[in-house]
Amino acid sequence: MDINDLRRERATINTRVQELAALEAAGTALTAEQLAEFDQLSARFAELGATISRMEQAERMAAAAAQPVDRASQGQGANAPPAYAQPRTPAVPGARVASMAIALIAAGGIPSVAAGIAEQRGYGEDVSMALSQSSAGAGGVLVPVNLAKEIIELLRPASTVRSLGVRSYPLMNGNATIPRINGGAVVGYVGVDSDIPATEQSFDDLKLSAKKLAALVPVGNDLLRNAAAGVAVEGIVVADITGAIGAREDKAFIRDNGSGDLPKGLLSWALSGNKIPASDASTLQKVETDLNKAILCLEGANSRLLAPGWIMAPRTFRFLEALRDGNGNKVYSELAQGMLKGYPIRRTTQIPVNLGSGGDESEIYFADFGDCFIGEDGTLMIDYSKEATYKDDEGNVVSAFQRDQTLIRVITHHDFGPRHVESIAVLTAVKWGK
């Protein structure tokens, strides 16, 4: 056995010891067999710890006593090019947050115990320290800002809206005020000995206030058992967390109406005059006219077009992708490169295709995302439950206990808004591709 095998065995023993300890902590008296098993596991754990400590010491001594290799004696020649050490494969971004969640689950929600598990499994000193300095409250365990930033950065490709260049802005005490110019300056030519006209600009504010987003991420307990055996599963958990948060963010930042505890999305921010009913798209000219109307809404308002882009449903995207001219050529061949009429395009199922009285309408958004902001407080809270229920994508109630799953709950706070509402256009009643 090498040192990693011994570490895995020790981690497995610790998991079983924690299970027995949890039984006793819950008021269940351990049987004679369980007490004997506890003593045997404790002795083996101590034995493994001593062995691992000696092997680690031997590794450190070997590294300290290492001598340079005589390349000529190895047949490589004195002038052979140097062989550089290869860097280790970098850890999965955001894996440390997933490791915190996995250790917390294994510890039964006790941060101090989770810190020990994180240390035993080699999750890193930062993870162990973060857990040892945390206390589980009603909202869960607080993820340090430096670790939370990894998840927030991973949301950029996971979220359609973020990927188009929306700017992040810090929320101080849950609020932020971003000034914006609301009226233009007065500028003119003047004659000799004439007064220069006053140059004034009127200002307004974009006010952002923290909205609480709670994401439930179901994780199979078999996967968590693999983590106890030393199998790297953090990347899977990270992908599930960012995917769940990213999808809900898109719905909020695109179509939520700002009522109650919800953010206000693009649809509600857009001016009524910038909401344009789409044609039936029976001809290419009609499609072109509709798309140009959306672009002209921004150009006509002197939008700076810092980072303009499109968002639409997959059904609409496929309709445009399938359009052919009279010679059979693709009308919008640039869609293959993720562009439409020279601007980036994204598709998301968070834009419905069952709107309108007939239940067959959708929407197309064109906005200057460089003029939009996501206010964030930069913190995450994680918690878990093995007994809770949740609703799946089809609205069915699922029992985590019955499915042998564990629910990871991630809580974050943010808000969304544009500096200039004129920077958003929406094509409504889009039946293209139905």
Side-chain angles (χ1 to χ4, degrees):
M1 281 186 151
D2 64 16
I3 191 171
N4 291 322
D5 293 328
L6 296 178
R7 286 170 175 158
R8 281 190 285 269
E9 182 182 350
R10 185 174 64 171
T12 303
I13 290 174
N14 175 70
T15 300
R16 177 55 182 161
V17 167
Q18 297 303 326
E19 291 174 352
L20 294 173
L23 285 174
E24 195 165 34
T28 302
L30 299 182
T31 65
E33 292 80 4
Q34 289 173 324
L35 289 171
E37 180 186 5
F38 188 95
D39 292 338
Q40 292 172 359
L41 292 173
S42 298
R44 178 58 177 163
F45 187 90
E47 178 185 344
L48 287 170
T51 303
I52 291 171
S53 179
R54 288 192 295 271
M55 294 178 73
E56 289 175 341
Q57 179 64 20
E59 289 179 348
R60 288 192 291 269
M61 292 173 64
Q67 296 293 323
V69 175
D70 185 348
R71 300 178 60 80
S73 66
Q74 298 296 321
Q76 298 179 25
N79 297 321
Y84 297 102
Q86 296 297 316
R88 293 179 59 189
T89 302
V92 176
R96 293 181 294 179
V97 175
S99 296
M100 284 187 67
I102 293 171
L104 192 66
I105 293 168
I110 305 173
S112 58
V113 177
I117 293 174
E119 185 175 351
Q120 293 160 13
R121 295 184 183 179
Y123 289 160
E125 292 183 2
D126 46 0
V127 174
S128 177
M129 185 177 298
L131 287 165
S132 64
Q133 295 177 350
S134 297
S135 59
V141 171
L142 179 65
V143 179
V145 174
N146 63 316
L147 302 188
K149 283 182 178 178
E150 293 185 7
I151 294 294
I152 293 174
E153 284 301 313
L154 288 174
L155 288 174
R156 188 164 298 279
S159 164
T160 298
V161 174
R162 286 181 186 264
S163 70
L164 285 167
V166 174
R167 304 186 187 192
S168 181
Y169 197 88
L171 294 178
M172 304 302 294
N173 298 319
N175 295 281
T177 299
I178 304 175
R180 60 187 177 192
I181 298 174
N182 195 39
V186 178
V187 181
Y189 293 98
V190 296
V192 178
D193 297 328
S194 299
D195 293 334
I196 299 175
T199 300
E200 297 181 354
Q201 294 174 326
S202 59
F203 292 87
D204 196 1
D205 292 324
L206 167 63
K207 297 183 183 296
L208 302 175
S209 60
K211 307 295 191 300
K212 180 178 176 180
L213 170 64
L216 291 177
V217 182
V219 179
N221 288 333
D222 288 338
L223 187 67
L224 297 174
R225 295 183 190 106
N226 285 333
V231 179
V233 301
E234 291 86 354
I236 300 173
V237 176
V238 168
D240 288 346
I241 290 175
T242 54
I245 296 177
R248 186 59 187 90
E249 275 193 356
D250 277 343
K251 182 179 182 300
F253 299 162
I254 297 173
R255 301 199 81 254
D256 277 357
N257 59 15
S259 63
D261 298 322
L262 298 175
K264 189 175 179 180
L266 293 169
L267 181 63
S268 295
W269 279 112
L271 297 170
S272 59
N274 282 17
K275 297 178 181 179
I276 310 161
S279 70
D280 60 8
S282 57
T283 66
L284 291 179
Q285 185 58 51
K286 288 184 177 181
V287 173
E288 273 288 283
T289 299
D290 287 343
L291 297 177
N292 284 332
K293 283 180 180 179
I295 297 174
L296 283 170
C297 277
L298 274 61
E299 292 179 338
N302 291 321
S303 171
R304 292 183 294 170
L305 297 178
L306 300 173
W310 304 89
I311 302 179
M312 60 186 62
R315 184 188 77 178
T316 309
F317 179 93
R318 288 302 168 194
F319 170 83
L320 294 173
E321 196 272 339
L323 285 178
R324 300 292 189 272
D325 62 19
N327 297 321
N329 300 314
K330 288 186 176 182
V331 176
Y332 301 111
S333 58
E334 59 183 333
L335 289 174
Q337 285 73 49
M339 305 290 285
L340 175 62
K341 298 187 75 63
Y343 302 112
I345 182 173
R346 299 290 186 271
R347 46 197 148 145
T348 175
T349 55
Q350 299 305 317
I351 297 180
V353 292
N354 60 351
L355 302 173
S357 58
D360 57 357
E361 297 177 1
S362 187
E363 297 159 341
I364 297 176
Y365 292 80
F366 183 73
D368 184 1
F369 293 95
D371 198 40
C372 297
F373 289 82
I374 298 175
E376 299 177 295
D377 68 358
T379 61
L380 292 175
M381 298 286 289
I382 57 173
D383 205 350
Y384 83 100
S385 174
K386 295 184 178 181
E387 294 80 26
T389 58
Y390 64 97
K391 290 184 178 181
D392 61 17
D393 292 339
E394 298 177 354
N396 302 313
V397 177
V398 179
S399 166
F401 182 82
Q402 190 173 9
R403 289 280 182 91
D404 190 27
Q405 295 175 333
T406 295
L407 284 179
I408 298 175
R409 185 182 67 186
V410 182
I411 295 177
T412 185
H413 298 82
H414 56 223
D415 199 7
F416 173 84
R419 288 186 74 185
H420 304 94
V421 293
E422 298 85 0
S423 295
I424 304 169
V426 186
L427 289 176
T428 63
V430 178
K431 299 184 180 182
W432 307 352
K434 68 172 183 175

